[in-house]
Amino acid sequence: MSIFTLQSVKKDFGIKEILKDASFSLDDGDKVGLIGTNGSGKSTLLKMIAGLESIDSGQILVNSGARIIYLPQQPDLDENHTVLEQVFAGGEQLALVREYEELSDKLAHTPGDDSSQLMSRLSAVMQRMDATGAWELETNAKIILTKLGIEDFTARIGTLSGGYRKRIALAAALLSEPEVLLMDEPTNHLDALSVEWLQNYLNRYRGAILLITHDRYFLDRVTNRIIEIDRGDIYSYAGNYSYYLEKKPLLKNPPLVVSANIKVCCAVSWNG
Ligand SMILES: Nc1ncnc2c1ncn2[C@@H]1O[C@H](COP(=O)(O)OP(=O)(O)OP(=O)(O)O)[C@@H](O)[C@H]1O
Ligand SMILES: [Mg+2]
């Protein structure tokens, strides 16, 4: 089932034509690599799907209820947040975890006779933690951050380098487990072990993924479809990067024109 669809989308920045007439869709569980030369419009396309960049005409239809999370090439994070606060930004789970810790601490230092109010508040907080999955979320956040090479969860974002910030934004995106994950260069700033961990994580990921990366090895191991932007046109290849390399010459230089209406060769589809 399609999770989002682009229909005849056009976009240009004055003299620079980004998309002439782009149509394609992503299905549940698709793992798509978005490729193209520098400046071809890959980041712009992700921003349009995320709703952060306007389109000139056409439409982008998103399945109702599908959450789209976008990891930008250079994330803009809140400098005053700690690592953990950033990962949970927007959710109530972290506040619940903190309140649980405070209440437990107070209870441990309060005589039994005076503790009934604290107990009933603690019970309400615990119920809310169950309902929002807060217990697992904090554990998972710490696991993902550690796998991405971040161990100080209390450090302020403002004190961290661009590479660390990108990894924190990546952790936040993974943790939110959306139906559609849009990622712009997720492996930048990761060491080889973290890249391998991310590859395995994304292979098991149940949602749809559209990712930009210059790491061809990563593309080959994670994606099952390639979309290429080339001078405003979109080409879709039903395989990974090796498949794209094999089929690209056939699509762009067809060996034989059978009919003027047929632009598609082998298993390569035109415009998604
Ligand atoms: N807001 C904007 N206004 C004008 N031009 C823009 C704007 N955003 C991007 N561009 C231009 O549009 C083109 C596509 O930019 P985009 O960042 O999408 O390319 P990209 O494929 O992601 O490139 P890279 O591989 O270098 O990340 C570039 O020429 C860029 O300079
Ligand atoms: Mg880009």
Side-chain angles (χ1 to χ4, degrees):
M1 189 181 68
S2 286
I3 201 144
F4 75 81
T5 303
L6 269 76
Q7 283 177 352
S8 297
V9 172
K10 290 188 177 53
K11 174 77 183 173
D12 72 49
F13 287 119
I15 53 165
K16 178 88 182 176
E17 192 170 40
I18 303 289
L19 292 176
K20 290 179 191 162
D21 183 17
S23 298
F24 67 86
S25 48
L26 242 69
D27 291 339
D28 277 342
D30 269 356
K31 307 274 163 57
V32 182
L34 178 59
I35 62 171
T37 53
N38 288 347
S40 56
K42 302 179 297 295
S43 296
T44 304
L45 176 53
L46 285 201
K47 284 180 207 163
M48 291 192 293
I49 297 168
L52 300 171
E53 180 71 64
S54 63
I55 57 176
D56 297 337
S57 64
Q59 38 183 352
I60 299 178
L61 306 166
V62 180
N63 225 357
S64 67
R67 278 177 317 133
I68 295 182
I69 294 283
Y70 164 61
L71 171 70
Q73 203 162 350
Q74 284 164 340
D76 188 17
L77 308 183
D78 187 330
E79 306 251 320
N80 296 317
H81 274 163
T82 66
V83 169
L84 217 50
E85 282 165 355
Q86 183 65 48
V87 169
F88 286 107
E92 69 170 306
Q93 287 96 344
L94 187 65
L96 288 168
V97 172
R98 294 286 163 265
E99 191 172 357
Y100 169 80
E101 283 169 354
E102 271 171 33
L103 288 168
S104 304
D105 189 53
K106 272 190 197 155
L107 258 177
H109 299 97
T110 304
D113 293 349
D114 304 332
S115 64
S116 64
Q117 258 193 334
L118 283 174
M119 286 290 281
S120 70
R121 179 65 201 147
L122 187 65
S123 153
V125 167
M126 286 166 74
Q127 272 179 28
R128 193 73 201 127
M129 286 177 75
D130 284 339
T132 59
W135 305 100
E136 304 83 42
L137 211 65
E138 193 187 21
T139 310
N140 289 346
K142 288 179 176 170
I143 292 171
I144 290 176
L145 285 163
T146 307
K147 294 288 184 188
L148 295 176
I150 294 162
E151 278 160 12
D152 183 357
F153 310 129
T154 57
R156 298 259 161 220
I157 302 292
T159 65
L160 302 175
S161 69
Y164 272 98
R165 293 178 193 205
K166 179 81 184 242
R167 286 186 257 167
I168 291 161
L170 172 59
L174 297 178
L175 201 69
S176 56
E177 297 191 341
E179 285 72 22
V180 183
L181 198 44
L182 307 172
M183 294 189 288
D184 203 336
E185 298 286 0
T187 62
N188 278 5
H189 312 289
L190 294 185
D191 63 22
L193 268 182
S194 295
V195 171
E196 193 174 334
W197 173 82
L198 181 62
Q199 176 216 315
N200 291 326
Y201 190 94
L202 296 182
N203 281 336
R204 290 194 307 271
Y205 197 73
R206 273 181 282 150
I209 297 172
L210 180 59
L211 75 93
I212 300 169
T213 176
H214 288 99
D215 181 341
R216 292 165 179 201
Y217 192 45
F218 189 77
L219 261 187
D220 242 355
R221 292 183 300 169
V222 171
T223 62
N224 52 25
R225 188 174 155 206
I226 298 288
I227 289 179
E228 182 185 20
I229 308 183
D230 185 2
R231 284 161 289 183
D233 287 319
I234 293 278
Y235 300 85
S236 176
Y237 298 81
N240 65 7
Y241 192 72
S242 301
Y243 182 87
Y244 157 79
L245 288 178
E246 190 189 315
K247 299 296 180 190
K248 175 180 155 130
L250 296 174
L251 180 62
K252 300 221 168 143
N253 303 295
L256 179 69
V257 177
V258 180
S259 149
N261 292 325
I262 298 177
K263 295 178 187 170
V264 177
C265 179
C266 314
V268 181
S269 66
W270 198 271
N271 269 353

